[in-house]
Amino acid sequence: MPLISVLISVYNGEKTIRETLESVLAQTFSDFEIVIINDGSTDSTVEAINSLGDSRIHIFSYPNAGLNASRNRAISHAEGEYVSFLDADDLWTPDKLELQLKALQDYPEAAAVYSWTDYIDIESKFLRTGPHHSFQGDVFAKLLLADFIGSGSNPLIRKSAFAEVGDFDTSIKGGQDWDMWVRLARRYPFAVVPSVQILYRQYSTSWSANAQRQEQGCLRIIEKALADAPESVKKLRKDILGNRYKESIIDALGKVAGRDRALLALRYLATAIYYDPRLLRSRILPTLLFTIGTRLILPPDRAQSVLERYPNLSNIYGIFGYIRWSD
């Protein structure tokens, strides 16, 4: 029986699934199985998987049901004591499983361990730095304040914890990873590996690129989590919402150009300022307004051309410097 089950849901992932699997097969820790849920793919995904010819890979094919249902199916097939989810277009560094396993074994009370994330594009080239925080122990309030884990391809989790927290919520269509991490953190301590081990792929057609779906899902997660949270956490509601809308600005601006996205970003900015007026005095505000204004006024291609002349506009990610980590 393998010690770790790597759980992958894939739908029409022929372009990236082989590279993703190669990043698992290159792990310095080798006592694992790879459980792949083929979620109704109609392309050559299965052929790409089979071309690797590794006996640790197990494919289970189902009619298309979506990411959350597929992850729940993967958990039911997992034989390992620990599980780690991996999206079919993300990558791991070779020491990911080894170092995360050691961190959990050194902290037996913890149910999950996470590492740092960086972002890559469709060609696997570096885009930007992701969350690099080192919170551990009781991280429930911190994780509600902002998703510092950064992607669904990150934590290594004790499989036994799912008996307590339940499956992925199939009714949530945006932010479903965050929902699971928050539920785990509500009941268990977390450990951390302070090293970049997750390479999270972002592009315009990725699931997370739908900013409004992400907004709606995350607002529901916040209200659900706060409903039975301690009073000390409920008092953070304004900060939690303010932080969420700062992240929503990135969701709107960071992946897809166009006037509709710019209007959405403007609404998110106004909402973020409502919850956190510090943004009015921040050095990032002029950059945000210039970026939004350029995308509102100019056609997408022209706007992108103008913005590329100003490399410092990547500082829109500087709004994360205004995340409130009060607890």
Side-chain angles (χ1 to χ4, degrees), residues 91-219:
L91 306 175
W92 286 344
T93 62
D95 58 357
K96 191 266 189 186
L97 291 179
E98 179 184 357
L99 295 186
Q100 286 192 337
L101 178 61
K102 183 179 185 302
L104 272 186
Q105 290 175 334
D106 290 345
Y107 193 168
E109 296 82 13
V113 56
Y114 68 98
S115 305
W116 292 349
T117 296
D118 278 350
Y119 297 93
I120 58 175
D121 64 14
I122 190 62
E123 297 178 347
S124 304
K125 295 178 181 177
F126 175 81
L127 278 175
R128 65 180 176 92
T129 298
H132 288 188
H133 296 286
S134 297
F135 305 128
Q136 60 181 350
D138 180 2
V139 300
F140 176 59
K142 289 281 196 299
L143 196 48
L144 262 180
L145 282 161
D147 181 8
F148 56 80
I149 290 176
S151 85
S153 299
N154 192 336
L156 180 68
I157 304 164
R158 298 185 196 275
K159 187 184 176 187
S160 58
F162 292 104
E164 176 68 21
V165 303
D167 290 341
F168 282 86
D169 187 341
T170 57
S171 68
I172 294 177
K173 305 304 180 184
Q176 56 267 38
D177 306 327
W178 187 36
D179 176 63
M180 177 56 76
W181 315 153
V182 167
R183 286 157 54 198
L184 284 165
R186 180 71 174 86
R187 292 169 174 80
Y188 299 101
F190 274 45
V192 61
V193 174
S195 177
V196 174
Q197 296 188 308
I198 318 302
L199 302 176
Y200 177 30
R201 200 182 303 271
Q202 294 192 313
Y203 47 96
S204 61
T205 58
S206 64
W207 177 263
S208 61
N210 189 320
Q212 289 173 293
R213 179 172 58 208
Q214 290 293 104
E215 175 194 14
Q216 293 164 5
C218 289
L219 290 179

Side-chain angles (χ1 to χ4, degrees), residues 10-18 38 41 43-45 48 88-89:
V10 59
Y11 171 73
N12 288 349
E14 62 181 4
K15 294 180 180 178
T16 60
I17 186 63
R18 185 181 175 94
N38 172 35
S41 295
D43 64 359
S44 60
T45 291
D89 52 3

Side-chain angles (χ1 to χ4, degrees), residues 287-303:
T287 299
L288 287 170
L289 292 174
F290 181 80
T291 304
I292 292 170
T294 300
R295 293 189 177 183
L296 280 173
I297 295 169
L298 300 177
D301 290 346
R302 177 61 178 154

